[in-house]
Amino acid sequence: MRDGHTGVRQEFWERLWSTTLRERGETVARRPPNAQLTGEAADLPPGRALDAGCGHGTDTLWLAAHGWRVTAVDFSAAALEHGAATAEAAGAELVERVEWVEADLGTWTPPAEHYDLVVCLYVHVAGPVGELVRRMASGVAPGGTLLLVGHRPVDPATGDPTPAAGQRQVSVDEAVAALDPGHWEFVVAEERPRAAAGSGVDAVIRAHRVSRAGDHDLVLNNVD
Ligand SMILES: C[S@@+](CC[C@H](N)C(=O)[O-])C[C@H]1O[C@@H](n2cnc3c(N)ncnc32)[C@H](O)[C@@H]1O
């Protein structure tokens, strides 16, 4: 069951997506995929991917077009419908590669160690960031990749608040602290300037899962 705060957030996003996609759906569908995603995922062999908080689905469809089979999760039905309609317009191949799932990322847990790539871009979290990071990370298979991006609330260059002020999005420190270095290797863990002028920086975390939880525990136990 959803708590009251989740209901309010879900209603906020549903209203926002309904209005935006009704008024500017075609413009939104033409938006390019996220540059951090295309940059970081370009060298990965396609497999199973999770796009957690997929929104209107542009990133999901970019992954699908590059051969990934994608589970796209969001709690906005309007956003998911738009993504599915865009996939249909693009052809049967993309339709078959994407499963659109309406679920609350506040509680939804991916199947354990299932995905070769888990991406979670610009999702505002209600609870502790570390808890969401660990839950999303639990879905990454050994050898797989976790890609997290969060818009930071303050522009480090000016000290001014950004449009993300007041939101709780992933930060480099919290993501790094949440992942066990015995299981994860950080390929990228840094703040990068955003392409949109005047909006500060993005926290970008790309982590490679080197082992499954059990393997590491086994190694430590053997050392003891
Ligand atoms: C800022 S948008 C980012 C969308 C997309 N990842 C992107 O980068 O374009 C945040 C998305 O997360 C979704 N979202 C926020 N909180 C959520 C939750 N608790 N469960 C599921 N989806 C959520 C919103 O509906 C929205 O589509």
Side-chain angles (χ1 to χ4, degrees), residues 6 9-10 12-14 16-17 31 34 51-59 73-77 79 101-108 119-126 132 149 167 169:
T6 303
R9 278 190 302 276
Q10 194 273 340
F12 165 83
W13 277 106
E14 184 62 8
L16 185 65
W17 280 130
R31 272 191 202 157
N34 181 268
D51 185 359
C54 61
H56 50 83
T58 296
D59 299 326
V73 178
D74 205 286
F75 64 4
S76 164
V101 177
E102 189 178 331
D104 175 14
L105 292 172
T107 51
W108 185 83
V119 306
C120 188
L121 309 181
Y122 306 111
V123 173
H124 317 173
V125 295
L132 179 79
V149 179
Q167 299 170 3
Q169 296 198 31

mmCIF file of all heavy atoms in Angstrom, residues 6 9-10 12-14 16-17 31 34 51-59 73-77 79 101-108 119-126 132 149 167 169, ligand 1:
data_model
loop_
_atom_site.group_PDB
_atom_site.id
_atom_site.type_symbol
_atom_site.label_atom_id
_atom_site.label_comp_id
_atom_site.label_asym_id
_atom_site.label_seq_id
_atom_site.Cartn_x
_atom_site.Cartn_y
_atom_site.Cartn_z
ATOM 1 N N THR A 6 3.692 9.365 -0.921
ATOM 2 C CA THR A 6 3.922 8.757 -2.232
ATOM 3 C C THR A 6 2.770 9.087 -3.155
ATOM 4 O O THR A 6 2.963 9.418 -4.324
ATOM 5 C CB THR A 6 4.065 7.224 -2.104
ATOM 6 O OG1 THR A 6 5.130 6.963 -1.209
ATOM 7 C CG2 THR A 6 4.365 6.596 -3.455
ATOM 8 N N ARG A 9 3.184 12.610 -4.452
ATOM 9 C CA ARG A 9 4.250 12.702 -5.467
ATOM 10 C C ARG A 9 3.808 12.075 -6.777
ATOM 11 O O ARG A 9 4.067 12.593 -7.850
ATOM 12 C CB ARG A 9 5.517 12.004 -4.953
ATOM 13 C CG ARG A 9 6.347 12.877 -4.025
ATOM 14 C CD ARG A 9 7.684 12.232 -3.762
ATOM 15 N NE ARG A 9 7.540 10.912 -3.187
ATOM 16 C CZ ARG A 9 7.360 10.666 -1.890
ATOM 17 N NH1 ARG A 9 7.327 11.654 -1.034
ATOM 18 N NH2 ARG A 9 7.225 9.437 -1.432
ATOM 19 N N GLN A 10 3.133 10.934 -6.666
ATOM 20 C CA GLN A 10 2.677 10.247 -7.878
ATOM 21 C C GLN A 10 1.675 11.135 -8.620
ATOM 22 O O GLN A 10 1.742 11.272 -9.847
ATOM 23 C CB GLN A 10 2.066 8.894 -7.488
ATOM 24 C CG GLN A 10 1.856 7.944 -8.649
ATOM 25 C CD GLN A 10 0.521 8.142 -9.330
ATOM 26 O OE1 GLN A 10 -0.394 8.719 -8.744
ATOM 27 N NE2 GLN A 10 0.421 7.686 -10.562
ATOM 28 N N PHE A 12 1.495 14.357 -8.488
ATOM 29 C CA PHE A 12 2.238 15.489 -9.057
ATOM 30 C C PHE A 12 2.827 15.100 -10.416
ATOM 31 O O PHE A 12 2.641 15.804 -11.413
ATOM 32 C CB PHE A 12 3.354 15.916 -8.088
ATOM 33 C CG PHE A 12 4.389 16.807 -8.725
ATOM 34 C CD1 PHE A 12 4.159 18.180 -8.845
ATOM 35 C CD2 PHE A 12 5.578 16.288 -9.223
ATOM 36 C CE1 PHE A 12 5.104 19.003 -9.453
ATOM 37 C CE2 PHE A 12 6.523 17.096 -9.827
ATOM 38 C CZ PHE A 12 6.292 18.459 -9.939
ATOM 39 N N TRP A 13 3.536 13.952 -10.458
ATOM 40 C CA TRP A 13 4.188 13.537 -11.715
ATOM 41 C C TRP A 13 3.159 13.175 -12.769
ATOM 42 O O TRP A 13 3.333 13.474 -13.959
ATOM 43 C CB TRP A 13 5.140 12.374 -11.460
ATOM 44 C CG TRP A 13 6.466 12.846 -10.955
ATOM 45 C CD1 TRP A 13 6.943 12.747 -9.686
ATOM 46 C CD2 TRP A 13 7.472 13.529 -11.714
ATOM 47 N NE1 TRP A 13 8.181 13.317 -9.601
ATOM 48 C CE2 TRP A 13 8.535 13.805 -10.824
ATOM 49 C CE3 TRP A 13 7.570 13.935 -13.026
ATOM 50 C CZ2 TRP A 13 9.696 14.472 -11.247
ATOM 51 C CZ3 TRP A 13 8.719 14.597 -13.450
ATOM 52 C CH2 TRP A 13 9.761 14.859 -12.557
ATOM 53 N N GLU A 14 2.077 12.543 -12.358
ATOM 54 C CA GLU A 14 1.060 12.145 -13.329
ATOM 55 C C GLU A 14 0.454 13.384 -13.987
ATOM 56 O O GLU A 14 0.286 13.435 -15.201
ATOM 57 C CB GLU A 14 -0.015 11.306 -12.617
ATOM 58 C CG GLU A 14 -1.067 10.744 -13.515
ATOM 59 C CD GLU A 14 -0.551 9.767 -14.587
ATOM 60 O OE1 GLU A 14 0.636 9.392 -14.557
ATOM 61 O OE2 GLU A 14 -1.340 9.425 -15.471
ATOM 62 N N LEU A 16 1.882 16.370 -14.161
ATOM 63 C CA LEU A 16 2.921 17.028 -14.956
ATOM 64 C C LEU A 16 3.095 16.344 -16.317
ATOM 65 O O LEU A 16 3.089 16.987 -17.360
ATOM 66 C CB LEU A 16 4.250 16.999 -14.189
ATOM 67 C CG LEU A 16 5.413 17.748 -14.820
ATOM 68 C CD1 LEU A 16 5.125 19.254 -14.855
ATOM 69 C CD2 LEU A 16 6.701 17.496 -14.041
ATOM 70 N N TRP A 17 3.196 15.001 -16.289
ATOM 71 C CA TRP A 17 3.381 14.278 -17.561
ATOM 72 C C TRP A 17 2.145 14.379 -18.430
ATOM 73 O O TRP A 17 2.244 14.550 -19.650
ATOM 74 C CB TRP A 17 3.740 12.815 -17.302
ATOM 75 C CG TRP A 17 5.174 12.574 -16.950
ATOM 76 C CD1 TRP A 17 5.645 11.856 -15.885
ATOM 77 C CD2 TRP A 17 6.340 13.007 -17.667
ATOM 78 N NE1 TRP A 17 7.020 11.827 -15.889
ATOM 79 C CE2 TRP A 17 7.466 12.529 -16.974
ATOM 80 C CE3 TRP A 17 6.534 13.771 -18.805
ATOM 81 C CZ2 TRP A 17 8.781 12.771 -17.400
ATOM 82 C CZ3 TRP A 17 7.841 14.022 -19.235
ATOM 83 C CH2 TRP A 17 8.939 13.530 -18.533
ATOM 84 N N ARG A 31 13.142 14.573 -28.166
ATOM 85 C CA ARG A 31 14.298 14.918 -27.319
ATOM 86 C C ARG A 31 15.394 13.876 -27.458
ATOM 87 O O ARG A 31 15.110 12.670 -27.483
ATOM 88 C CB ARG A 31 13.881 14.949 -25.846
ATOM 89 C CG ARG A 31 13.360 16.274 -25.425
ATOM 90 C CD ARG A 31 13.235 16.312 -23.911
ATOM 91 N NE ARG A 31 12.277 17.329 -23.537
ATOM 92 C CZ ARG A 31 11.617 17.351 -22.395
ATOM 93 N NH1 ARG A 31 11.797 16.393 -21.508
ATOM 94 N NH2 ARG A 31 10.778 18.315 -22.126
ATOM 95 N N ASN A 34 19.677 10.979 -23.014
ATOM 96 C CA ASN A 34 20.594 11.616 -22.073
ATOM 97 C C ASN A 34 22.055 11.369 -22.460
ATOM 98 O O ASN A 34 22.447 10.230 -22.732
ATOM 99 C CB ASN A 34 20.310 11.055 -20.671
ATOM 100 C CG ASN A 34 21.201 11.677 -19.640
ATOM 101 O OD1 ASN A 34 22.272 11.153 -19.345
ATOM 102 N ND2 ASN A 34 20.784 12.802 -19.107
ATOM 103 N N ASP A 51 15.531 0.578 -16.794
ATOM 104 C CA ASP A 51 15.512 2.045 -16.745
ATOM 105 C C ASP A 51 14.540 2.419 -15.627
ATOM 106 O O ASP A 51 13.319 2.395 -15.810
ATOM 107 C CB ASP A 51 15.078 2.607 -18.109
ATOM 108 C CG ASP A 51 15.163 4.141 -18.167
ATOM 109 O OD1 ASP A 51 15.544 4.749 -17.145
ATOM 110 O OD2 ASP A 51 14.835 4.705 -19.226
ATOM 111 N N ALA A 52 15.085 2.736 -14.470
ATOM 112 C CA ALA A 52 14.268 3.005 -13.277
ATOM 113 C C ALA A 52 13.918 4.494 -13.228
ATOM 114 O O ALA A 52 14.812 5.333 -13.109
ATOM 115 C CB ALA A 52 15.040 2.596 -12.024
ATOM 116 N N GLY A 53 12.624 4.807 -13.329
ATOM 117 C CA GLY A 53 12.191 6.205 -13.434
ATOM 118 C C GLY A 53 12.368 6.662 -14.864
ATOM 119 O O GLY A 53 12.968 7.701 -15.144
ATOM 120 N N CYS A 54 11.771 5.900 -15.787
ATOM 121 C CA CYS A 54 12.051 6.071 -17.231
ATOM 122 C C CYS A 54 11.376 7.304 -17.823
ATOM 123 O O CYS A 54 11.732 7.733 -18.915
ATOM 124 C CB CYS A 54 11.600 4.828 -17.989
ATOM 125 S SG CYS A 54 9.818 4.522 -17.817
ATOM 126 N N GLY A 55 10.374 7.874 -17.113
ATOM 127 C CA GLY A 55 9.670 9.043 -17.654
ATOM 128 C C GLY A 55 9.062 8.737 -19.013
ATOM 129 O O GLY A 55 8.478 7.670 -19.233
ATOM 130 N N HIS A 56 9.235 9.681 -19.955
ATOM 131 C CA HIS A 56 8.602 9.534 -21.284
ATOM 132 C C HIS A 56 9.286 8.500 -22.162
ATOM 133 O O HIS A 56 8.826 8.238 -23.282
ATOM 134 C CB HIS A 56 8.558 10.886 -21.988
ATOM 135 C CG HIS A 56 9.878 11.590 -21.985
ATOM 136 N ND1 HIS A 56 10.866 11.321 -22.899
ATOM 137 C CD2 HIS A 56 10.377 12.524 -21.135
ATOM 138 C CE1 HIS A 56 11.912 12.088 -22.629
ATOM 139 N NE2 HIS A 56 11.644 12.817 -21.567
ATOM 140 N N GLY A 57 10.389 7.926 -21.699
ATOM 141 C CA GLY A 57 10.923 6.743 -22.350
ATOM 142 C C GLY A 57 11.983 6.958 -23.409
ATOM 143 O O GLY A 57 12.399 5.999 -24.068
ATOM 144 N N THR A 58 12.461 8.177 -23.559
ATOM 145 C CA THR A 58 13.472 8.423 -24.610
ATOM 146 C C THR A 58 14.728 7.586 -24.388
ATOM 147 O O THR A 58 15.281 7.008 -25.336
ATOM 148 C CB THR A 58 13.839 9.927 -24.635
ATOM 149 O OG1 THR A 58 12.672 10.643 -25.003
ATOM 150 C CG2 THR A 58 14.936 10.219 -25.636
ATOM 151 N N ASP A 59 15.174 7.504 -23.136
ATOM 152 C CA ASP A 59 16.393 6.729 -22.853
ATOM 153 C C ASP A 59 16.143 5.231 -23.018
ATOM 154 O O ASP A 59 16.984 4.497 -23.541
ATOM 155 C CB ASP A 59 16.901 7.031 -21.436
ATOM 156 C CG ASP A 59 17.252 8.496 -21.280
ATOM 157 O OD1 ASP A 59 17.726 9.099 -22.268
ATOM 158 O OD2 ASP A 59 17.051 9.051 -20.181
ATOM 159 N N VAL A 73 10.550 1.304 -15.788
ATOM 160 C CA VAL A 73 9.674 1.446 -14.609
ATOM 161 C C VAL A 73 9.426 2.926 -14.305
ATOM 162 O O VAL A 73 10.367 3.732 -14.286
ATOM 163 C CB VAL A 73 10.322 0.778 -13.371
ATOM 164 C CG1 VAL A 73 9.445 0.969 -12.136
ATOM 165 C CG2 VAL A 73 10.565 -0.705 -13.613
ATOM 166 N N ASP A 74 8.186 3.254 -14.060
ATOM 167 C CA ASP A 74 7.824 4.611 -13.615
ATOM 168 C C ASP A 74 6.461 4.508 -12.931
ATOM 169 O O ASP A 74 5.723 3.551 -13.163
ATOM 170 C CB ASP A 74 7.727 5.564 -14.808
ATOM 171 C CG ASP A 74 7.963 7.026 -14.417
ATOM 172 O OD1 ASP A 74 7.056 7.634 -13.792
ATOM 173 O OD2 ASP A 74 9.047 7.566 -14.716
ATOM 174 N N PHE A 75 6.155 5.498 -12.066
ATOM 175 C CA PHE A 75 4.818 5.451 -11.461
ATOM 176 C C PHE A 75 3.833 6.377 -12.157
ATOM 177 O O PHE A 75 2.703 6.544 -11.686
ATOM 178 C CB PHE A 75 4.830 5.624 -9.940
ATOM 179 C CG PHE A 75 5.310 6.932 -9.364
ATOM 180 C CD1 PHE A 75 5.653 8.007 -10.159
ATOM 181 C CD2 PHE A 75 5.407 7.088 -7.978
ATOM 182 C CE1 PHE A 75 6.082 9.199 -9.602
ATOM 183 C CE2 PHE A 75 5.829 8.269 -7.406
ATOM 184 C CZ PHE A 75 6.166 9.318 -8.230
ATOM 185 N N SER A 76 4.228 6.965 -13.293
ATOM 186 C CA SER A 76 3.299 7.781 -14.078
ATOM 187 C C SER A 76 2.771 6.970 -15.266
ATOM 188 O O SER A 76 3.518 6.653 -16.202
ATOM 189 C CB SER A 76 3.989 9.048 -14.587
ATOM 190 O OG SER A 76 3.213 9.618 -15.619
ATOM 191 N N ALA A 77 1.479 6.667 -15.220
ATOM 192 C CA ALA A 77 0.863 5.911 -16.323
ATOM 193 C C ALA A 77 0.924 6.715 -17.616
ATOM 194 O O ALA A 77 1.146 6.159 -18.698
ATOM 195 C CB ALA A 77 -0.584 5.579 -15.968
ATOM 196 N N ALA A 79 3.212 8.845 -18.611
ATOM 197 C CA ALA A 79 4.568 8.776 -19.181
ATOM 198 C C ALA A 79 4.793 7.419 -19.842
ATOM 199 O O ALA A 79 5.332 7.332 -20.953
ATOM 200 C CB ALA A 79 5.601 9.024 -18.078
ATOM 201 N N VAL A 101 6.552 -0.944 -17.004
ATOM 202 C CA VAL A 101 6.038 -1.383 -15.699
ATOM 203 C C VAL A 101 5.668 -0.170 -14.853
ATOM 204 O O VAL A 101 6.511 0.699 -14.595
ATOM 205 C CB VAL A 101 7.111 -2.218 -14.946
ATOM 206 C CG1 VAL A 101 6.613 -2.611 -13.556
ATOM 207 C CG2 VAL A 101 7.507 -3.443 -15.748
ATOM 208 N N GLU A 102 4.393 -0.132 -14.429
ATOM 209 C CA GLU A 102 3.953 0.955 -13.542
ATOM 210 C C GLU A 102 4.197 0.512 -12.106
ATOM 211 O O GLU A 102 3.565 -0.439 -11.629
ATOM 212 C CB GLU A 102 2.462 1.226 -13.792
ATOM 213 C CG GLU A 102 1.972 2.477 -13.090
ATOM 214 C CD GLU A 102 0.501 2.759 -13.389
ATOM 215 O OE1 GLU A 102 0.009 2.400 -14.470
ATOM 216 O OE2 GLU A 102 -0.144 3.325 -12.501
ATOM 217 N N ALA A 103 5.134 1.171 -11.436
ATOM 218 C CA ALA A 103 5.469 0.769 -10.063
ATOM 219 C C ALA A 103 6.119 1.937 -9.336
ATOM 220 O O ALA A 103 6.654 2.867 -9.963
ATOM 221 C CB ALA A 103 6.423 -0.434 -10.092
ATOM 222 N N ASP A 104 6.081 1.865 -8.024
ATOM 223 C CA ASP A 104 6.658 2.904 -7.154
ATOM 224 C C ASP A 104 8.084 2.516 -6.772
ATOM 225 O O ASP A 104 8.299 1.512 -6.083
ATOM 226 C CB ASP A 104 5.772 3.033 -5.908
ATOM 227 C CG ASP A 104 6.346 3.996 -4.896
ATOM 228 O OD1 ASP A 104 7.278 4.761 -5.229
ATOM 229 O OD2 ASP A 104 5.868 3.980 -3.745
ATOM 230 N N LEU A 105 9.028 3.338 -7.217
ATOM 231 C CA LEU A 105 10.437 3.036 -6.918
ATOM 232 C C LEU A 105 10.766 3.219 -5.438
ATOM 233 O O LEU A 105 11.868 2.881 -5.008
ATOM 234 C CB LEU A 105 11.356 3.925 -7.762
ATOM 235 C CG LEU A 105 11.346 3.632 -9.269
ATOM 236 C CD1 LEU A 105 12.145 4.692 -10.013
ATOM 237 C CD2 LEU A 105 11.909 2.238 -9.556
ATOM 238 N N GLY A 106 9.839 3.748 -4.693
ATOM 239 C CA GLY A 106 10.041 3.838 -3.251
ATOM 240 C C GLY A 106 10.061 2.467 -2.602
ATOM 241 O O GLY A 106 10.649 2.283 -1.528
ATOM 242 N N THR A 107 9.430 1.506 -3.267
ATOM 243 C CA THR A 107 9.368 0.160 -2.688
ATOM 244 C C THR A 107 9.735 -0.941 -3.694
ATOM 245 O O THR A 107 10.110 -2.037 -3.289
ATOM 246 C CB THR A 107 7.934 -0.140 -2.180
ATOM 247 O OG1 THR A 107 7.014 0.166 -3.237
ATOM 248 C CG2 THR A 107 7.588 0.696 -0.972
ATOM 249 N N TRP A 108 9.609 -0.666 -4.991
ATOM 250 C CA TRP A 108 9.814 -1.712 -6.008
ATOM 251 C C TRP A 108 11.272 -2.192 -5.975
ATOM 252 O O TRP A 108 12.210 -1.400 -5.961
ATOM 253 C CB TRP A 108 9.480 -1.149 -7.392
ATOM 254 C CG TRP A 108 9.550 -2.157 -8.496
ATOM 255 C CD1 TRP A 108 8.588 -3.045 -8.855
ATOM 256 C CD2 TRP A 108 10.650 -2.381 -9.395
ATOM 257 N NE1 TRP A 108 9.008 -3.793 -9.930
ATOM 258 C CE2 TRP A 108 10.266 -3.421 -10.277
ATOM 259 C CE3 TRP A 108 11.919 -1.810 -9.535
ATOM 260 C CZ2 TRP A 108 11.097 -3.888 -11.282
ATOM 261 C CZ3 TRP A 108 12.741 -2.283 -10.538
ATOM 262 C CH2 TRP A 108 12.335 -3.308 -11.397
ATOM 263 N N VAL A 119 19.964 1.626 -14.990
ATOM 264 C CA VAL A 119 20.135 3.076 -15.017
ATOM 265 C C VAL A 119 19.018 3.724 -14.221
ATOM 266 O O VAL A 119 17.867 3.271 -14.250
ATOM 267 C CB VAL A 119 20.180 3.648 -16.464
ATOM 268 C CG1 VAL A 119 21.234 2.958 -17.300
ATOM 269 C CG2 VAL A 119 18.852 3.554 -17.160
ATOM 270 N N CYS A 120 19.373 4.768 -13.510
ATOM 271 C CA CYS A 120 18.401 5.524 -12.720
ATOM 272 C C CYS A 120 18.820 6.993 -12.841
ATOM 273 O O CYS A 120 19.817 7.414 -12.233
ATOM 274 C CB CYS A 120 18.411 5.034 -11.262
ATOM 275 S SG CYS A 120 17.099 5.739 -10.259
ATOM 276 N N LEU A 121 18.098 7.727 -13.692
ATOM 277 C CA LEU A 121 18.524 9.080 -14.052
ATOM 278 C C LEU A 121 17.541 10.128 -13.535
ATOM 279 O O LEU A 121 16.365 10.112 -13.895
ATOM 280 C CB LEU A 121 18.628 9.216 -15.582
ATOM 281 C CG LEU A 121 19.437 8.152 -16.326
ATOM 282 C CD1 LEU A 121 19.457 8.432 -17.821
ATOM 283 C CD2 LEU A 121 20.859 8.062 -15.796
ATOM 284 N N TYR A 122 18.041 11.004 -12.678
ATOM 285 C CA TYR A 122 17.281 12.177 -12.202
ATOM 286 C C TYR A 122 16.013 11.810 -11.440
ATOM 287 O O TYR A 122 15.012 12.527 -11.529
ATOM 288 C CB TYR A 122 16.917 13.098 -13.379
ATOM 289 C CG TYR A 122 18.103 13.506 -14.204
ATOM 290 C CD1 TYR A 122 18.260 13.046 -15.510
ATOM 291 C CD2 TYR A 122 19.076 14.356 -13.675
ATOM 292 C CE1 TYR A 122 19.349 13.403 -16.263
ATOM 293 C CE2 TYR A 122 20.175 14.724 -14.428
ATOM 294 C CZ TYR A 122 20.304 14.238 -15.727
ATOM 295 O OH TYR A 122 21.390 14.591 -16.475
ATOM 296 N N VAL A 123 16.031 10.715 -10.724
ATOM 297 C CA VAL A 123 14.848 10.361 -9.931
ATOM 298 C C VAL A 123 14.974 11.013 -8.553
ATOM 299 O O VAL A 123 16.018 10.924 -7.914
ATOM 300 C CB VAL A 123 14.702 8.828 -9.818
ATOM 301 C CG1 VAL A 123 13.582 8.454 -8.854
ATOM 302 C CG2 VAL A 123 14.394 8.238 -11.207
ATOM 303 N N HIS A 124 13.920 11.702 -8.148
ATOM 304 C CA HIS A 124 13.902 12.340 -6.824
ATOM 305 C C HIS A 124 13.442 11.275 -5.848
ATOM 306 O O HIS A 124 12.400 10.661 -6.076
ATOM 307 C CB HIS A 124 12.894 13.481 -6.737
ATOM 308 C CG HIS A 124 12.887 14.382 -7.927
ATOM 309 N ND1 HIS A 124 11.955 15.365 -8.085
ATOM 310 C CD2 HIS A 124 13.687 14.444 -9.002
ATOM 311 C CE1 HIS A 124 12.187 16.004 -9.217
ATOM 312 N NE2 HIS A 124 13.233 15.457 -9.803
ATOM 313 N N VAL A 125 14.185 11.084 -4.793
ATOM 314 C CA VAL A 125 13.785 10.040 -3.864
ATOM 315 C C VAL A 125 13.141 10.639 -2.626
ATOM 316 O O VAL A 125 13.454 11.751 -2.225
ATOM 317 C CB VAL A 125 14.972 9.119 -3.467
ATOM 318 C CG1 VAL A 125 15.471 8.363 -4.672
ATOM 319 C CG2 VAL A 125 16.077 9.891 -2.801
ATOM 320 N N ALA A 126 12.232 9.863 -2.044
ATOM 321 C CA ALA A 126 11.551 10.321 -0.832
ATOM 322 C C ALA A 126 12.344 9.885 0.393
ATOM 323 O O ALA A 126 12.540 10.638 1.340
ATOM 324 C CB ALA A 126 10.153 9.728 -0.779
ATOM 325 N N LEU A 132 17.885 3.648 -1.789
ATOM 326 C CA LEU A 132 17.476 3.477 -3.198
ATOM 327 C C LEU A 132 18.655 2.942 -4.022
ATOM 328 O O LEU A 132 18.496 2.043 -4.843
ATOM 329 C CB LEU A 132 16.996 4.800 -3.799
ATOM 330 C CG LEU A 132 16.595 4.681 -5.268
ATOM 331 C CD1 LEU A 132 15.197 4.075 -5.412
ATOM 332 C CD2 LEU A 132 16.658 6.006 -6.005
ATOM 333 N N VAL A 149 22.509 9.018 -12.188
ATOM 334 C CA VAL A 149 22.784 10.438 -12.431
ATOM 335 C C VAL A 149 21.792 11.254 -11.601
ATOM 336 O O VAL A 149 20.588 10.954 -11.584
ATOM 337 C CB VAL A 149 22.640 10.808 -13.935
ATOM 338 C CG1 VAL A 149 22.906 12.310 -14.132
ATOM 339 C CG2 VAL A 149 23.600 9.997 -14.793
ATOM 340 N N GLN A 167 15.175 19.108 -3.781
ATOM 341 C CA GLN A 167 14.907 17.709 -4.157
ATOM 342 C C GLN A 167 16.019 16.829 -3.597
ATOM 343 O O GLN A 167 17.143 17.279 -3.417
ATOM 344 C CB GLN A 167 14.900 17.549 -5.681
ATOM 345 C CG GLN A 167 13.830 18.366 -6.369
ATOM 346 C CD GLN A 167 14.006 18.381 -7.881
ATOM 347 O OE1 GLN A 167 14.903 17.734 -8.420
ATOM 348 N NE2 GLN A 167 13.168 19.139 -8.558
ATOM 349 N N GLN A 169 18.151 14.002 -4.745
ATOM 350 C CA GLN A 169 18.602 13.163 -5.860
ATOM 351 C C GLN A 169 19.954 12.575 -5.489
ATOM 352 O O GLN A 169 20.587 13.002 -4.535
ATOM 353 C CB GLN A 169 18.728 13.988 -7.148
ATOM 354 C CG GLN A 169 17.416 14.562 -7.645
ATOM 355 C CD GLN A 169 17.480 14.989 -9.119
ATOM 356 O OE1 GLN A 169 18.195 14.417 -9.919
ATOM 357 N NE2 GLN A 169 16.707 16.014 -9.461
HETATM 358 C C1 LIG B 1 13.017 14.082 -13.659
HETATM 359 S S1 LIG B 1 12.132 12.738 -14.343
HETATM 360 C C2 LIG B 1 13.431 11.830 -15.144
HETATM 361 C C3 LIG B 1 12.930 10.937 -16.221
HETATM 362 C C4 LIG B 1 14.036 10.200 -17.005
HETATM 363 N N1 LIG B 1 14.800 9.304 -16.155
HETATM 364 C C5 LIG B 1 14.952 11.190 -17.662
HETATM 365 O O1 LIG B 1 16.130 11.304 -17.290
HETATM 366 O O2 LIG B 1 14.484 11.877 -18.579
HETATM 367 C C6 LIG B 1 11.847 11.707 -12.909
HETATM 368 C C7 LIG B 1 10.944 10.511 -13.243
HETATM 369 O O3 LIG B 1 10.904 9.659 -12.124
HETATM 370 C C8 LIG B 1 9.567 9.253 -11.909
HETATM 371 N N2 LIG B 1 9.458 8.968 -10.479
HETATM 372 C C9 LIG B 1 9.719 9.803 -9.440
HETATM 373 N N3 LIG B 1 9.529 9.173 -8.271
HETATM 374 C C10 LIG B 1 9.137 7.910 -8.576
HETATM 375 C C11 LIG B 1 8.768 6.777 -7.806
HETATM 376 N N4 LIG B 1 8.750 6.813 -6.470
HETATM 377 N N5 LIG B 1 8.420 5.643 -8.441
HETATM 378 C C12 LIG B 1 8.409 5.586 -9.795
HETATM 379 N N6 LIG B 1 8.745 6.621 -10.584
HETATM 380 C C13 LIG B 1 9.102 7.773 -9.987
HETATM 381 C C14 LIG B 1 8.699 10.403 -12.378
HETATM 382 O O4 LIG B 1 7.397 10.005 -12.737
HETATM 383 C C15 LIG B 1 9.511 10.882 -13.581
HETATM 384 O O5 LIG B 1 9.093 10.225 -14.748
#
